[in-house]
Structures are given as C-alpha cells and as structure tokens.
Amino acid sequence: MTSMSRARVARRIAAGAAYGGGGIGLAGAAAVGLVLAEVQLAKRAVGNGTAPHAPSAEGLYGNGCTAAGEPPLRLMMLGDSTAAGQGVRRAGQTPGALLASGLAAVAERPVHLRNVALPGACSDDLERQVALTLADSDRVPDVCVIMIGANDVTHRMPATRSVRYLATAVRRLRTAGAEVVVGTCPDLGTIEPVQQPLRWLARRASRQLAAAQTIGVVEQGGRTVSLGDLLGPEFAANPRELFGPDSYHPSAEGYATAAMAVLPTVCAALGLWPAEEERPDVSRREGFLPVARAAAEAASEAGTEVTAAMPTGPRGPWALLKRRRRRRVGEAEPSPTSPSGV
C-alpha cells in the first residue's frame, strides 16, 4: 500500500473515531480473521518460553543526579505487555526502566517510574489505566508513555473504536497537564511463526492502525513514535537476537532498541532535547506535512516521530515529522540504576 493510500485510510479511521463512525476493515474482515487465527496459533505455539509476569521496575532512577532541590520527574508507563516489559526477567531490562534511567541521565535529575500497563490489554483498558494514573491530583505525571495496539489487531477490535479509546486517553492526560508520547502499533508481520501471505496482511493491518493512531494522538496534543522496529525489520533480520524466548515478545536487546527510539521524543516533550535538534532537517527528509500524510510515512519507518505543528493548512491539520537519531543495539546506552524500594 502506498503512503498516500495509507494516509486516506488512516484519515477515514480517525474521522470515524472522532465522530462515532462504525468499524472500517483494516484488510477486510475475512483477511483479518485469518491473521487473528494465525497469530493466536503462533502465540500458543511459542508462548511456553515467556516469563508469565513482567518484572516490576517501579521506583526511583538516577539517585546520583543533582537537580538543585527539584523533585524527581514523574514517568508513567501505560499500555499492554510491551509497556509492561513482558518477556524479560530483570526489572532493569524493561522499557520503563530503560526510559527512566535514560531520562534521568539527560535531565540530570532523578526520575520516579510507575507502571500501570497490563499484559494482554487492548485500547479499551486505557480508561482504567488513566484513572489509576490520575487518581492523585497532586502527583500527575510529567510524561506518560503509552504502548498499545497489537492486541487490538489480533482481537479484531474495530480500528475506529481502538483510535477513539486512545485519543480519549491522550486528551484526559493532556488536560491534566501531562505530556504524552505514544508508541504506535508494532509490525505484527514479523512474528516468526506467521507465514505468507498472512504475514503481509498482518503488516498491512498493523501499519494502518499505527497511522490512524498517530492522527488521533496528534490531534489531542500528544506525540507519537513508530514502533515498527519493535517487531519490525531489525527483528526479522535478527530474530534470535531481538526476539525473546517465546519468539513473540521482545528480548532485552529488543526492548533496548524500542526504548532508545522513544527516549528522544520523551526528552523533546519535556523540553530537554537540544534546540537545534527541534528544527526539521531536510537531509533526513524531515518537515511539515498534512497530519494524515505524516502519519502514513511514520507507520512505514520505525523510530519516526510525529507531533502537532500548524493548527490548519490547505489540507487540514499539519504535523512535524522528525527522524531523530537513535542508538542501535550494541551502542552505548544509559545503565539503569537500581530502583529504590523495588
């Protein structure tokens, strides 16, 4: 599917979510049904090797950072098993821990991490997770990271419903004063046991949902990062290195790849990224685009950030598309400190 046609589909899905429209088929009901069956079989076939519960990584990171008496930054993780860190055995290997320690290093300030993500969750669980996040009005997170969408595809949740739940969650968090970064639906077309042609259909469904999620999130004041690499090209090329023992959830190295893709956007949302990095770089094909087109391009290239820009343009809302530099597996990364109280 071309970028322009994906943009049209994404805009239709997002419009349906905003105005209460019915479900729009991602790749046709029958095709998605086949993908669902294949993915569920794959999960059963390989699921015995995974850790049954994600390790708890909640606590304080960057204890050695000095911040002139400032309180720790508050980071909250929401979403599904990806946000929870299912598939690894040590707390420091989870994406929350990696993001918290990386953010503490950049901000030179301690970071307090909480995680309300639920393995197996679809986007309709975000209402519960947001309620937990905002339960204490005196401790609203500075930034929330949401990773969601894969289960929506495999459970055949209509894309309009999926995007509506996510957009509502982003709006509530932004209204409360939190910055929001969403890791969009990963590429399910690289789960090892899924074979062609279902692999292609799973990829198409995943990317269409990711593009529609981007439109819904940006229109509510959040930022998105494409997580195609989470189960994408790097995983397909290095399945033994980047997939975990169950061949479905990422390994520690895979989560590190995803966390390092998200970290620059988290820092930018908090005003911690260098000012020169915030200007679009034409040499990296960055720039201002209609939001639907930016969403479609981001869905095709992992690690791409989309954030709101000019409120209106000749073809509706516009967005800034950024391809931020990011570390690759094997490059130097911030080492997670041991969270206190965990």
Side-chain angles (χ1 to χ4, degrees):
M1 175 179 288
T2 67
S3 176
M4 292 304 294
S5 59
R6 185 178 295 116
R8 287 193 294 270
V9 172
R11 170 54 69 190
R12 287 169 53 213
I13 293 172
Y19 299 109
I24 298 175
L26 292 175
V32 174
L34 288 173
V35 172
L36 169 67
E38 184 88 358
V39 170
Q40 296 292 5
L41 284 172
K43 290 171 69 175
R44 285 197 292 270
V46 299
N48 293 332
T50 187
H53 302 289
S56 175
E58 293 191 333
L60 191 66
Y61 289 76
N63 291 323
C65 297
T66 58
E70 292 185 74
L73 289 168
R74 291 188 288 268
L75 168 65
M76 179 69 81
M77 300 292 295
L78 304 89
D80 55 23
S81 58
T82 303
Q86 187 172 6
V88 296
R89 299 189 180 279
R90 295 197 297 274
Q93 298 172 325
T94 63
L98 293 165
L99 285 170
S101 55
L103 178 58
V106 173
E108 297 183 340
R109 181 175 170 184
V111 174
H112 188 269
L113 171 68
R114 287 186 60 208
N115 196 322
V116 295
L118 178 67
C122 294
S123 293
D124 56 2
D125 192 58
L126 289 175
E127 181 178 4
R128 180 191 66 84
Q129 295 183 29
V130 170
L132 291 173
T133 299
L134 302 180
D136 185 350
S137 59
D138 293 327
R139 294 181 60 81
V140 174
D142 293 289
V143 60
C144 297
V145 175
I146 304 174
M147 297 180 177
I148 200 82
N151 295 318
D152 296 31
V153 174
T154 61
H155 288 75
R156 287 189 286 182
M157 176 180 288
T160 49
R161 285 184 56 206
S162 176
V163 173
R164 190 180 306 133
Y165 287 127
L166 177 58
T168 299
V170 173
R171 181 170 63 251
R172 290 178 61 193
L173 293 169
R174 292 290 292 131
T175 300
E179 298 292 338
V180 181
V181 176
V182 175
T184 54
C185 182
D187 185 351
L188 296 179
T190 53
I191 299 172
E192 282 192 292
V194 177
Q195 302 300 316
Q196 296 289 14
L198 300 184
R199 185 184 296 268
W200 178 85
L201 293 171
R203 172 170 290 117
R204 182 184 178 191
S206 303
R207 289 183 176 181
Q208 285 183 1
L209 179 57
Q213 287 177 318
T214 296
I215 296 173
V217 169
V218 168
E219 289 182 345
Q220 297 302 327
R223 300 175 184 232
T224 64
V225 179
S226 170
L227 289 186
D229 271 0
L230 190 62
L231 294 172
E234 293 181 10
F235 283 65
N238 304 288
R240 295 291 174 257
E241 179 183 357
L242 293 175
F243 274 117
D246 62 359
S247 297
Y248 186 77
H249 292 99
S251 65
E253 291 81 3
Y255 277 130
T257 299
M260 290 308 101
V262 173
L263 179 60
T265 300
V266 170
C267 293
L270 293 171
L272 299 172
W273 211 240
E276 59 270 18
E277 281 289 318
E278 295 308 293
R279 293 189 290 270
D281 186 339
V282 177
S283 69
R284 290 190 285 184
R285 295 178 293 116
E286 298 178 344
F288 298 96
L289 297 169
V291 66
R293 184 177 165 194
E297 289 201 16
S300 301
E301 184 174 344
T304 304
E305 174 192 318
V306 179
T307 187
M310 294 167 276
T312 59
R315 286 175 284 178
W318 282 60
L320 173 60
L321 184 143
K322 294 280 293 178
R323 293 177 171 90
R324 297 187 184 277
R325 295 184 180 92
R326 58 197 176 97
R327 293 182 179 89
R328 297 285 181 175
V329 171
E331 294 183 355
E333 301 161 359
S335 298
T337 59
S338 297
S340 62
V342 176

